Amino acid sequence: AASTCLLVGLGPKESASEESLRTAAAAATKALGRDKSLAFSLAGTPGGTERAAEALTTGRLLAAYSFDAFKDR
């Protein structure tokens, strides 16, 4: 069972888009940390579930990315 539940809104249904899904996934990733497991509901998402899954995955990956090749350890 999850110990934390985070709800991220997409705004009005009319303006929901793949970009709003990417933004929501990025917000969830930043709020919970990039190493946490996340689950998304794809029911009723804009563009169908396949495109929604791609948008959510892209947002999650971009938010979790950290270029630290030159960072001192």
Side-chain angles (χ1 to χ4, degrees), residues 14-40:
E14 309 80 49
S15 64
S17 65
E18 289 177 39
E19 183 58 31
S20 61
L21 290 171
R22 279 189 287 276
T23 302
T29 299
K30 290 177 181 178
L32 296 176
R34 66 184 189 168
D35 297 327
K36 298 289 183 178
S37 175
L38 297 177
F40 298 97

Side-chain angles (χ1 to χ4, degrees), residues 17-26 40 42 45-63:
S17 65
E18 289 177 39
E19 183 58 31
S20 61
L21 290 171
R22 279 189 287 276
T23 302
F40 298 97
L42 301 180
T45 52
T49 55
E50 190 172 310
R51 291 180 70 146
E54 181 180 355
L56 289 167
T57 301
T58 301
R60 172 103 167 105
L61 290 173
L62 289 174

